[in-house]
Amino acid sequence: MIVAEAVGEALIGLGVRTVFGVVGSGNFHVTNALVAGGARFVAARHEGGAATMADAFARAGGGVGVLSVHQGPGLTNALTGITEAAKSRTPLLVLAAETAGSAVRSNFRVDQAALAAAVGAVPERVHSPSSALADLARAWRTAVVERRTVVLGLPLDVQSAELPAAPAPTSGPPVPSVPVPGPEGVARLADVLAGAERPVFLAGRGARGAREPLVALAARTGALLATSAVARGLFRGEEFDLDVSGGFASPVTAELMRGADVLVGWGCSLNMWTLRHGTLVGEDTTVVQVDLDTEALGVNRPIDLGLVGDVAGTAAAVEAELARRGHASDGARSPALAARLARERRWRDIPYDDDSDDVSIDPRTLSIALDDLLPAERTVAVDSGNFMGYPAMYLEVPDADGLVFTQAYQSIGLGLATAIGAAIARPDRLTVAALGDGGALMSIAELETAVRLGLGLVIVVYDDEAYGAEVHHFGPHGHPLDTVRFPPADIAEIGRGFGCTAITARRRDDLAPLTDWLTGPRDHPLLIDAKVTRGRPAWWLEEAFRGH
């Protein structure tokens, strides 16, 4: 058995059943070995799309993402998606072919390890036939245990060499127990919460999977519950769920966040977006941060207490300590506040002046209509741009897996591939891709992938015929906007050319065909080219500009 085949077989033993990528000569054998072992290979049309699909697959609950790419351009084409995954701490293993050590004049030769490190991924390499399986196990452990994106170099000369006789690993390396702060740290946080009158918990990506202990601790302390955008849905159904903090926060959420006397960030980086450039933290608020990563503590803003620990374990330990003390408080919780949140927490319930006319539809009106028409069991995948707050906040999601929000690198063009990866991870749910026209056209090749795979996606293009963020950023200052505006494009017709069912929506009634499609077999995508109004920036963009 050659090394390439052994690596593929070992990954099957580690539980890999889905691989994304684009196959070239350098990753041909390892990919085929995975397929021979029973893995599904999802062929994208561009490595950038494949990387984002693998990222989204992991985020939506599919397990560790695995990406297979050719050496040189295969990796560089994938770098934007890899960067997004690395910045998001997605557990992702990139199988990247490399030129042989002796091929110093190869056109494909670039310093792939340096590229990986430059974008925040962890570079690893299969160094020799005798170390190949140990090298793979080390890379796998880093991806799983440390939740990192790992680029594993597979030099062609090592790939083609015979593997010395040795059994392939059939299970992953042992996963160490997650750390919890010691008794002193638990007691310090318990002291802070025992003295709090208006605590707020702010849960981020690192809190996913910790709903129950956080809810229990919040009930004991009277804390209100909020999330960063990437954890939206974590507290869905809780009476005192504030929904999303930051630029997406509704007025009542922003008010209650500012009024907190204690703010605890759970697995949350407390960055400028989540705290709206710091304006959601009161002058006298005690700020606490709990995170597995020591380097994350206080990196984005000053904190009063930082604890290194697993979110679920830490919350459970603090709740147990407060129970031992006999502490219980309602905090700011009351029937009146619960009633107010039920009325005002959702953006769709806040009155607005509808800007729709005969040729375009207000993105708020569009999003509310879609929320009414689409089934509740859904996954919403959102691209980047001026439009993104509307689907991210007006379309409800059922839980923390319901919103896949690839915004750590703020690149447009990732939304369609995000939806494909999420749909493969969660075929039990309808996946909705929300794109701007710029991002949709940038990634249009992956429409063929969605059609070829028979994915029943709903693809909504918020089409303002521009890069809207730049229009609203620079337009008010009188700058020329010819470089960021485009003539009308019939995106619906483009969708039909790829094999989608497609409609153009200029008013709410134009969405009627969506109901018919939902009752059908859903064996191909439905694309909605929504011609949206463009007279004003999204509310969250106005907030963001205040910080520029």
Side-chain angles (χ1 to χ4, degrees):
M1 180 182 292
I2 62 172
V3 168
E5 295 166 343
V7 168
E9 181 179 284
L11 285 169
I12 294 297
L14 291 167
V16 173
R17 294 296 180 269
T18 304
V19 183
F20 299 84
V22 175
V23 170
S25 59
N27 62 326
F28 184 86
H29 293 300
V30 69
T31 304
N32 277 355
L34 281 157
V35 172
R40 177 187 185 185
F41 178 66
V42 179
R45 284 300 183 175
H46 190 279
E47 289 91 349
T52 302
M53 291 173 201
D55 179 11
F57 178 84
R59 296 190 198 210
V64 177
V66 179
L67 170 68
S68 176
V69 295
H70 182 66
Q71 66 268 30
L75 179 62
T76 56
N77 279 348
L79 273 183
T80 296
I82 292 171
T83 305
E84 169 65 34
K87 287 180 175 289
S88 299
R89 294 295 290 263
T90 299
L92 175 66
L93 180 65
V94 182
L95 304 173
E98 280 194 14
T99 54
S102 61
V104 294
R105 296 296 184 186
S106 170
N107 290 348
F108 295 136
R109 176 170 288 280
V110 291
D111 190 340
Q112 295 191 177
L115 289 173
V119 301
V122 178
E124 288 284 5
R125 177 174 284 112
V126 171
H127 292 283
S128 69
S130 60
S131 69
L133 297 183
D135 295 335
L136 173 63
R138 183 179 63 252
W140 183 262
R141 183 192 183 281
T142 300
V144 174
V145 176
E146 299 182 26
R147 295 187 59 84
R148 299 294 299 273
T149 293
V150 179
V151 177
L152 179 64
L154 299 170
L156 296 184
D157 50 349
V158 178
Q159 280 197 59
S160 62
E162 291 288 328
L163 185 79
T170 56
S171 62
V175 177
S177 59
V178 291
V180 175
E184 181 181 352
V186 169
R188 290 181 67 189
L189 180 50
D191 291 341
V192 171
L193 291 173
E197 296 180 355
R198 301 176 307 280
V200 171
F201 289 175
L202 178 52
R205 190 190 315 276
R208 292 182 58 168
R211 173 189 166 104
E212 297 309 319
L214 285 174
V215 167
L217 180 58
R220 181 168 293 279
T221 59
L224 306 180
L225 296 160
T227 71
S228 65
V230 293
R232 188 183 186 214
L234 180 63
F235 300 121
R236 183 65 67 244
E238 288 297 314
E239 192 173 30
F240 294 98
D241 175 17
L242 303 182
D243 208 353
V244 175
S245 175
F248 288 172
S250 64
V252 67
T253 296
E255 173 193 326
L256 293 167
M257 293 279 298
R258 292 189 185 103
D261 60 347
V262 172
L263 176 66
V264 185
W266 298 93
C268 179
S269 65
L270 302 178
N271 63 30
M272 64 179 181
W273 305 110
T274 302
L275 295 179
R276 199 178 284 183
H277 299 278
T279 63
L280 297 186
V281 182
E283 290 185 7
D284 299 321
T285 301
T286 297
V287 180
V288 180
Q289 191 176 5
V290 179
D291 204 287
L292 272 175
D293 185 356
T294 305
E295 295 181 358
L297 299 179
V299 70
N300 287 310
R301 63 154 293 117
I303 58 176
D304 300 291
L305 174 62
L307 298 179
V308 177
D310 168 67
V311 168
T314 303
V318 174
E319 199 274 334
E321 171 63 16
L322 289 171
R324 185 189 66 78
R325 299 181 186 184
H327 175 80
S329 171
D330 290 333
R333 295 184 174 199
S334 68
L337 180 58
R340 185 184 177 197
L341 289 174
R343 293 192 309 269
E344 302 177 28
R345 173 175 46 215
R346 301 189 307 170
W347 273 104
R348 63 168 292 161
D349 295 329
I350 299 172
Y352 65 94
D353 294 327
D354 192 337
D355 291 337
S356 303
D357 52 36
D358 288 338
V359 296
S360 56
I361 185 170
D362 190 305
R364 295 165 292 189
T365 302
L366 168 69
S367 302
I368 291 170
L370 290 169
D371 192 47
D372 291 339
L373 292 169
L374 294 169
E377 281 296 310
R378 65 181 74 147
T379 303
V380 179
V382 183
D383 208 337
S384 191
N386 174 61
F387 77 94
M388 70 184 187
Y390 300 115
M393 294 305 300
Y394 282 76
L395 298 183
E396 291 297 305
V397 294
D399 52 33
D401 289 336
L403 177 64
V404 189
F405 196 62
T406 45
Q407 299 294 334
Y409 196 36
Q410 289 183 265
S411 171
I412 72 168
L414 305 186
L416 179 55
T418 296
I420 293 171
I424 292 170
R426 293 298 303 267
D428 55 314
R429 290 181 171 179
L430 174 71
T431 299
V432 182
L435 320 174
D437 54 303
L441 291 170
M442 185 179 289
S443 60
I444 201 70
E446 300 305 348
L447 266 187
E448 189 278 334
T449 303
V451 171
R452 169 168 36 89
L453 297 176
L455 299 179
L457 306 178
V458 172
I459 302 167
V460 185
V461 181
Y462 289 70
D463 184 1
D464 64 357
E465 299 170 3
Y467 292 138
E470 283 66 34
V471 168
H472 296 297
H473 191 175
F474 296 106
H477 302 290
H479 296 291
L481 300 174
D482 293 346
T483 54
V484 291
R485 282 183 171 155
F486 300 92
D490 192 343
I491 298 175
E493 189 62 26
I494 293 172
R496 293 185 193 101
F498 278 97
C500 302
T501 294
I503 59 177
T504 300
R506 299 181 182 275
R507 54 192 66 81
R508 188 178 183 126
D509 291 347
D510 293 337
L511 297 174
L514 170 58
T515 302
D516 295 333
W517 182 88
L518 288 170
T519 60
R522 301 191 200 174
D523 56 2
H524 63 284
L526 169 70
L527 187 148
I528 302 171
D529 182 11
K531 306 297 187 181
V532 297
T533 56
R534 50 186 180 175
R536 66 177 75 191
W539 87 94
W540 71 268
L541 198 63
E542 291 180 305
E543 292 289 348
F545 286 167
R546 294 190 181 115
H548 278 30

